Amino acid sequence: MKEKHGAILILSGPSGCGKSTLLKEVYKDIEDYYFSISTTTREPREGEEHGVDYLFTSKEEFEKDIENGDFLEYANVHGNYYGTSLKPVKEALNEGKLVIFDIDVQGHELVRKQLDDVVTSVFITTPNLTELENRLNSRATDSKDVIEKRIKNAKHEVEFFQDYDYFIVNDNLEEASKQLVSIANIARIKTKLFNKENIVSSWLK
Amino acid sequence: MKEKHGAILILSGPSGCGKSTLLKEVYKDIEDYYFSISTTTREPREGEEHGVDYLFTSKEEFEKDIENGDFLEYANVHGNYYGTSLKPVKEALNEGKLVIFDIDVQGHELVRKQLDDVVTSVFITTPNLTELENRLNSRATDSKDVIEKRIKNAKHEVEFFQDYDYFIVNDNLEEASKQLVSIANIARIKTKLFNKENIVSSWLK
């Protein structure tokens, strides 16, 4: 009866809320996952690598892929495209993997619409806006303009937290990691993922 | 912004699936919970204590409490009453505790109807029916008649597993405990438990 199910774990939350740091902690404690690398047309930040942080591509290539229906979701954020290719996600799901997405609220809504039953989603924030501003200013990787855009966007995104299943306030890395690991641990045992007839008939054997 | 929320965790599954053993493991790893002790009119089994395993009461007392509306849920199973008193559950929720219930599929349905937003539920089974029969026979606490009733009931209950949020196949205590602890860890960060206006306005401060 032990079936192995693929599932999707979506993380969203304002830029600067600590998603990447949290994910690094989570990867130490979970198995059999596939992190979905987004494709983007924005410039790499210092230290970012193609194929690790993002698949960096040109606006022209991105728009060609949109036309071909290659994206599970995509959006234009702060003037740049971000998107998730469908093919590797489907493959990982078929292999029974936990597919992890770091995408924004629009992306979440689009994936939910298509694949609701296999999705578990988490909204992550800093304790408050001031803390987010502090973190964005202190990491000093972005220009003032970009930081302002991120803050404006954060104010908009937080309105959507209740579209998600779970809500993590990241003010203590250890506690937040524990919560995120717990969510990852059980994303593949949601009853929605199981076929009722298969389960009942094989249980009665 | 860090609000503390009470929530309910419901465990169901056939008698003999290992719920009690699993719960003992879970209690080592979680905090701030309240185990809801059921009231029953059945006879105590060997080793069972009043106030620990159950509140044992008479049929007459139980029926008086039903009339007074004192039960959150109750049912008649195998000729005995089982029920959950409302008052201690409400108190524990107000204190921000995780209230844990070990109840059957009927009880789950009744609690869901009244308190859906605060409930996380888990269905636990043995890998299959044969394994359940083996466990019931080997624990030797029940008569043949009682075991037969439990098996008949199990066949009925398993049909309802998809009314639950999560599904645990208890064929490996360590793995099943990890899953149950994970579910308990996040039952109180479901977005449904948070008041949107409060969260958004306090985040923007």
Side-chain angles (χ1 to χ4, degrees), chain A residues 77-80 144-154:
Chain A
V77 184
H78 311 145
N80 297 304
K144 226 176 172 176
D145 274 11
V146 170
I147 291 177
E148 265 170 38
K149 271 188 201 161
R150 291 190 193 285
I151 286 166
K152 198 180 150 196
N153 213 44

Side-chain angles (χ1 to χ4, degrees), chain B residues 161-181:
Chain B
F161 84 91
Q162 272 185 334
D163 295 347
Y164 291 73
D165 298 312
Y166 296 103
F167 181 55
I168 294 181
V169 180
N170 183 17
D171 59 352
N172 174 314
L173 182 63
E174 197 186 340
E175 195 188 332
S177 303
K178 190 173 138 187
Q179 289 174 337
L180 194 51
V181 169

